[in-house]
Amino acid sequence: MTQMTRTEQTLADLNQPKLWTGINAYRSDPLLVDGTASLPKPLRDEFDAIGRQVTSAEAQELARMANESPPQLRTHGPRGERLDVVDFHPAWHALMRRSMASGLHSSIWENLPDERGRAHKARAVRFFLTAQLESGHLCPLTMTSASVAAISASPVVQREWAGRILSRKYDSTNRPAMQKAAVTIGMGMTEKQGGTDVRANTTTAERVGEGIYRLSGHKWFMSAPMSDAFVMLAQTRDGVGCFLVPRLLEDGTANGLRFQRLKDKIGNRSNASSEVEFNDTFGFLLGPPDAGIRTILDMVTLTRLDCALASSGIMRASLAEAVHHTRGRKVFGKNLVDQPIMTRVLADMALDVAAATALSLRLAEAFDRAPVSADDAAYARVMTPVTKYWCCKIAPALIYEAMECIGGSGYVEERPIARHYREAPVNAIWEGSGNVMALDVLRVLARGKDLFESVFAGIARDLGPSGRKTVEVLRAATSLCERDEGAARMLVEQLALSAAAAELNRIGAGRIADAFLETRLAAGWRSTYGMLDSRFDSAYIVDLLYPAA
């Protein structure tokens, strides 16, 4: 037997478990393994490799360094010339290089043989796993992937840009886009006076040629400012238009973008978000000059799926770290995980993480099947804002509770859970806050109530005996919202819980589905975790969803 070092012996004596690292994030997630069992073996092998990589000590160190050394803006050079460049730590570039090689920015558009008909689900698994490592660098990858939906509105722009957008290389050089092997795309929608109300935006766009406009204005938030181009909204003479705006012109000179500052964000610290002003900035029109909101919403819809996946991923990583810690720490004579109150807290959280994971992957499947299935198209339209709302909304509270399970050492920056906690609020705010998601649901209700009936029919079928009563409650909630807009959040949450329970039941989660259904839909109001009663085997729930390494 190998002798422990003095430090290891000291830590053992001090009742300090080893850190949660080197545990395959894919293989240790039974819900994910079972949910991908029907996918081709090469895909499952790839998920296995990503699962090993994201929990490795080397990858965790890259994540730590990228967040402890945030990007720096250089507005001017030594001669006083404008630079407007953002410098990133090498760890950021390493994360980007690995994730682009995995196709997180491109795979849904590549028509790969193993992924035909399931490209969104395959990418969703990759994204979910990678979020457990580091979420900041996923922002530009999300926007780059989703940008193809907007760029496709202009065949000319698509022909020029798509090949570089879909390249799996990573090229961080500061050169014109057409001189690079690969590009990334950012987004600029938010303005000071407009915020979510993008029709109030004041950025203007004047036509100077066929499909080419000159933009002037500002963006209060422009994500990933070192991207090679940005999808932006601006007012044309015909209405709000959507544009692809290169950062550099073909001769290498700046395209009029003047970065004012980088936002000092609570989390998402590895990623740069900027405030920018611009004048005489050239952009390519995407779609009709009065259809910019509709064009960019095709892009935003895809980013909302990623918000749900990322929130689900960091919840999974945080709770896995908490379960691992409680299994290795003794309190009052037994392992902390076996203390009855703690067991129920962990099990209660595990139900929400399982539901969020299942709901997010179900939405990805709907994206895959929507072109050939009216029911899945209805599901994708109704459930995108619902899934984004619920998965992102529950993440901060759940991750905090997981932090409390670890205790004081969970409240220090040395642990990944601290990074996850700071990251958690962003997905609920970006790409549409909770109220915006609720309003989107009301918009669907007003224009296509039949879409809700399609979703309700699927929930009733998948829930089995309890489906009819659940759908009656949902119909009552929709009727209330038709009279009272302020009730929208009640409908959204009830629909999220019902759809999550239905999906857990459909995939055969058995006692997990039963426990979620009973505690979320049949029980009274609850505001904290640990509310499971003795009818549910909490130890079974924890051990099944978080098997011991």
Side-chain angles (χ1 to χ4, degrees):
M1 179 181 295
T2 304
Q3 286 187 328
M4 288 190 292
T5 66
R6 185 178 182 85
T7 300
E8 289 171 335
Q9 182 63 56
T10 300
L11 288 174
D13 292 342
L14 292 178
N15 197 19
Q16 290 291 323
K18 292 182 179 180
L19 294 179
W20 190 79
T21 186
I23 300 168
N24 191 312
Y26 173 65
R27 288 293 166 193
S28 63
D29 188 342
L31 199 68
L32 200 59
V33 171
D34 290 347
T36 56
S38 63
L39 297 182
K41 188 175 184 301
L43 283 179
R44 288 182 280 120
D45 289 343
E46 182 185 355
F47 302 153
D48 186 75
I50 296 173
R52 289 195 307 271
Q53 190 263 337
V54 298
T55 63
S56 68
E58 294 80 6
Q60 291 290 334
E61 183 66 5
L62 290 175
R64 181 192 67 78
M65 290 189 292
N67 282 269
E68 289 187 0
S69 303
Q72 300 293 319
L73 171 64
R74 289 191 291 141
T75 57
H76 294 79
R79 298 174 297 155
E81 74 277 18
R82 290 291 306 205
L83 293 179
D84 294 289
V85 297
V86 181
D87 295 328
F88 290 84
H89 191 276
W92 164 272
H93 297 300
L95 292 168
M96 287 287 291
R97 189 175 299 111
R98 175 70 184 237
S99 290
M100 288 187 74
S102 295
L104 290 184
H105 67 299
S106 62
S107 62
I108 61 173
W109 310 105
E110 291 175 329
N111 196 30
L112 300 173
D114 284 337
E115 299 185 28
R116 286 174 188 153
R118 47 187 167 236
H120 281 284
K121 181 173 182 179
R123 178 184 176 275
V125 175
R126 296 185 188 102
F127 201 90
F128 173 82
L129 288 169
T130 307
Q132 298 182 43
L133 169 62
E134 205 283 323
S135 291
H137 81 290
L138 294 179
C139 179
L141 299 177
T142 285
M143 292 185 295
T144 300
S145 176
S147 72
V148 179
I151 289 171
S152 64
S154 171
V156 173
V157 177
Q158 183 181 32
R159 187 164 53 248
E160 287 288 322
W161 286 78
R164 290 173 175 83
I165 290 173
L166 300 182
S167 170
R168 291 201 177 196
K169 298 178 181 178
Y170 174 56
D171 187 345
S172 62
T173 58
N174 189 35
R175 295 184 293 164
M178 294 302 112
Q179 298 178 21
K180 298 181 65 169
V183 299
T184 57
I185 308 295
M187 181 190 292
M189 291 179 66
T190 307
E191 296 185 6
K192 296 176 185 177
Q193 78 295 333
T196 297
D197 184 10
V198 293
R199 292 189 184 277
N201 285 359
T202 59
T203 294
T204 60
E206 290 291 330
R207 186 177 182 274
V208 296
E210 185 63 35
I212 301 175
Y213 284 67
R214 182 168 54 229
L215 282 68
S216 297
H218 76 280
K219 297 296 176 183
W220 182 237
F221 267 93
M222 192 166 76
S223 294
M226 281 310 290
S227 297
D228 297 285
F230 308 92
V231 178
M232 286 191 189
L233 296 177
Q235 300 282 355
T236 74
R237 293 184 179 182
D238 301 299
V240 178
C242 183
F243 301 88
L244 182 69
V245 179
R247 187 169 55 81
L248 300 177
L249 298 174
E250 292 182 7
D251 63 359
T253 59
N255 188 20
L257 298 169
R258 299 288 188 262
F259 298 126
Q260 303 303 299
R261 58 173 173 162
L262 298 186
K263 301 293 189 177
D264 187 9
K265 304 186 297 289
I266 291 172
N268 198 250
R269 301 191 69 83
S270 68
N271 177 47
S273 302
S274 66
E275 185 177 343
V276 63
E277 294 182 358
F278 44 93
N279 189 42
D280 291 336
T281 297
F282 292 95
F284 303 107
L285 180 66
L286 304 175
D290 62 345
I293 294 176
R294 184 170 69 246
T295 300
I296 207 169
L297 280 178
D298 291 338
M299 176 179 179
V300 169
T301 297
L302 293 171
T303 65
R304 288 174 177 171
L305 170 61
D306 281 5
C307 286
L309 288 165
S311 292
S312 301
I314 61 175
M315 283 192 285
R316 172 74 197 187
S318 298
L319 187 51
E321 185 176 354
V323 172
H324 174 79
H325 180 85
T326 58
R327 281 196 174 116
R329 184 167 175 83
K330 289 190 177 298
V331 177
F332 305 130
K334 63 169 69 173
N335 289 335
L336 181 55
V337 72
D338 296 324
Q339 295 287 356
I341 300 176
M342 178 61 75
T343 310
R344 293 191 186 186
V345 169
L346 295 170
D348 208 3
M349 287 192 286
L351 294 177
D352 269 357
V353 177
T357 303
L359 193 59
S360 299
L361 293 177
R362 171 67 182 93
L363 181 59
E365 290 180 353
F367 278 34
D368 281 325
R369 295 196 289 257
V372 297
S373 165
D375 287 341
D376 282 292
Y379 191 97
R381 180 62 189 95
V382 172
M383 292 304 300
T384 295
V386 170
T387 303
K388 196 267 190 188
Y389 174 98
W390 186 71
C391 294
C392 300
K393 190 68 69 180
I394 67 171
L398 187 142
I399 295 170
Y400 154 71
E401 193 74 59
M403 183 183 293
E404 187 175 316
C405 292
I406 296 173
S409 67
Y411 194 64
V412 295
E413 291 291 344
E414 283 88 347
R415 288 184 179 275
I417 197 170
R419 183 172 69 250
H420 298 326
Y421 182 63
R422 284 186 283 103
E423 190 76 24
V426 70
N427 289 318
I429 296 171
W430 283 0
E431 311 301 357
S433 64
N435 286 349
V436 173
M437 295 301 96
L439 288 171
D440 194 23
V441 171
L442 293 185
R443 192 175 299 112
V444 183
L445 183 61
R447 299 177 181 176
K449 195 171 182 179
D450 57 315
L451 301 180
F452 279 82
E453 287 301 321
S454 173
V455 173
F456 292 168
I459 290 173
R461 179 191 64 242
D462 294 336
L463 277 180
S466 61
R468 184 178 60 82
K469 183 177 180 180
T470 299
V471 168
E472 287 176 359
V473 173
L474 291 173
R475 288 200 178 103
T478 58
S479 296
L480 175 61
C481 286
E482 289 175 323
R483 304 188 306 271
D484 178 11
E485 180 181 293
R489 281 193 176 210
M490 289 191 286
L491 169 61
V492 173
E493 179 152 327
Q494 192 72 19
L495 186 50
L497 296 172
S498 301
E503 180 60 13
L504 286 170
N505 201 56
R506 186 187 72 85
I507 64 177
R511 291 160 68 182
I512 303 299
D514 293 341
F516 184 84
L517 180 68
E518 287 291 322
T519 55
R520 272 60 176 177
L521 290 174
W525 187 82
R526 52 207 298 279
S527 63
T528 58
Y529 287 101
M531 302 299 170
L532 298 182
D533 60 42
S534 58
R535 290 179 298 152
F536 307 104
D537 188 340
S538 295
Y540 167 83
I541 293 171
V542 174
D543 290 340
L544 178 67
L545 294 174
Y546 295 83

